[in-house]
Amino acid sequence: MNINWYPGHMKKTKEAIKKSLPLIDIIYELLDARIPISSKNPDIDSLVGNKPRIIILNKSDLSNPDNNFKWQKKLSESGTPSILVNSLDNTGINDLIRISNVLMKEKRDKLEKKGIKNKAIRVMIVGIPNVGKSTLINSLSGRKGAKTGNRPGVTKGNQWIKLKGNLELLDTPGILWPKFEDKEIGLNLAFTGAIKDELLDIETLAYRLIEKLVTICPFLLEERYNITISGKSTIEVFEEIGKKRGCILKGGEIDFDKTSNIIIDDFRKGRIGRITLELP
């Protein structure tokens, strides 16, 4: 399954980020806590340079709790603060505001000596599509001002948004990178919905997801679908799930398309369980 997707608007987004950086105090780099490696755009480091940065592990409610803290520790070892966030219930939002103010204390102190007080901290949030930027912005702003959706590419252009804690945020659309050299990264992005489903074969995607989950958390699959996995091949597990969910065509054959959509949707919404696909 070759994934090579680089829409024109992503090129424009990179140019807009470069152009806007002189206005920015802090970068919020948003990662998906289920796939911290795959959801990190390698272009971001070179794009933002030495700007102060906070790494936000979003969707931490969908990832394994133990692995959340392992990742947080690993990322913080680089000297860049990291925060676990669940934008849906505002977990981690107060910590994000607090650390932002700590990072800007020296700059604010200098401005106050010049007579400039209460200047807003200007923040840019960057991340791949469908990593939860709009939901995070809504949590930070306390309003439903940013469009959200579970399809990548909802945010179309730059906009300044007033936030809690005297912050101003410049939102940017999600950007992927030109080519996925590692097929596992491409698959992880597809599993979590960072790549439009229309570009992929859903049956192959669901098959590969089951293949992975059987390896890392078979018990969660067994509990969710009331099946037994031991001694079964991936395709047998796939068919068993289809039977349990009533995805049967005339003649008794499994409806693989319907089964695939159920499996992918269950994973993305956390119904199978809290799963981290990549370990530090």
Side-chain angles (χ1 to χ4, degrees):
M1 183 161 54
N2 294 319
I3 301 171
N4 190 352
W5 184 50
Y6 197 50
H9 79 83
M10 293 191 175
K11 181 176 184 294
K12 292 177 183 176
T13 298
K14 287 177 69 173
E15 293 169 354
I17 288 174
K18 288 180 181 179
K19 186 177 179 180
S20 302
L21 274 176
L23 304 172
I24 301 300
D25 297 311
I26 301 177
I27 301 294
Y28 288 172
E29 183 180 7
L30 199 55
L31 305 181
D32 187 322
R34 297 168 294 179
I35 51 167
I37 298 170
S38 296
S39 61
K40 180 176 176 59
N41 187 331
D43 292 344
I44 295 298
D45 289 344
S46 59
L47 272 174
V48 304
N50 294 321
K51 285 280 182 183
R53 191 185 332 181
I54 300 174
I55 296 175
I56 300 170
L57 289 164
N58 200 30
K59 303 189 179 183
S60 60
D61 57 311
L62 298 176
S63 51
N64 181 282
D66 291 337
N67 290 325
N68 281 345
F69 291 107
K70 289 178 182 177
W71 268 114
Q72 190 177 28
K73 181 182 178 183
K74 177 71 175 178
L75 292 168
S76 296
E77 286 174 358
S78 67
T80 303
S82 64
I83 298 173
L84 292 167
V85 168
N86 172 9
S87 303
L88 295 177
D89 69 0
N90 293 339
T91 300
I93 297 300
N94 289 336
D95 286 337
L96 179 58
I97 294 172
R98 177 181 57 79
I99 292 177
S100 298
N101 279 282
V102 169
L103 288 178
M104 285 297 102
K105 187 179 185 306
E106 185 177 344
K107 182 175 182 178
R108 276 183 160 170
D109 288 346
K110 289 179 179 178
L111 289 172
E112 284 189 11
K113 288 179 180 179
K114 297 178 181 179
I116 303 171
K117 296 183 178 181
N118 299 319
K119 180 174 170 52
I121 298 173
R122 289 197 149 183
V123 176
M124 177 186 286
I125 184 167
V126 295
I128 65 169
N130 207 31
V131 75
K133 293 189 300 298
S134 296
T135 306
L136 174 64
I137 292 166
N138 289 340
S139 296
L140 283 165
S141 63
R143 61 185 176 86
K144 300 296 181 183
K147 293 180 180 179
T148 63
N150 58 8
R151 287 169 56 84
V154 171
T155 308
K156 296 298 184 184
N158 292 347
Q159 53 182 327
W160 284 101
I161 301 171
K162 199 112 174 122
L163 306 179
K164 301 172 184 176
N166 199 21
L167 303 178
E168 288 181 354
L169 185 140
L170 178 64
D171 185 28
T172 60
I175 54 172
L176 289 169
W177 49 105
K179 187 179 180 181
F180 306 119
E181 300 292 347
D182 188 330
K183 288 183 179 179
E184 284 301 310
I185 287 178
L187 282 168
N188 286 336
L189 291 169
F191 293 150
T192 55
I195 299 169
K196 292 180 180 179
D197 289 336
E198 290 88 338
L199 299 175
L200 306 166
D201 173 51
I202 196 70
E203 289 183 20
T204 302
L205 187 63
Y207 180 90
R208 294 300 299 272
L209 178 59
I210 291 172
E211 195 173 51
K212 193 157 196 168
L213 297 184
V214 164
T215 301
I216 64 175
C217 55
F219 58 94
L220 290 180
L221 281 176
E222 291 180 330
E223 288 178 4
R224 173 62 185 170
Y225 300 110
N226 191 27
I227 61 174
T228 301
I229 287 176
S230 180
K232 292 178 181 174
S233 65
T234 303
I235 191 63
E236 288 172 332
V237 174
F238 198 121
E239 291 176 339
E240 197 70 19
I241 293 171
K243 290 176 185 175
K244 289 291 184 178
R245 284 295 181 264
C247 304
I248 310 295
L249 297 168
K250 288 182 180 179
E253 292 185 9
I254 301 296
D255 186 335
F256 285 104
D257 187 65
K258 187 176 180 181
T259 305
S260 299
N261 279 289
I262 287 172
I263 293 165
I264 296 297
D265 194 54
D266 280 352
F267 169 73
R268 290 177 182 171
K269 293 181 178 176
R271 297 191 193 108
I272 296 175
R274 298 181 64 177
I275 300 168
T276 302
L277 297 179
E278 296 175 328
L279 300 180

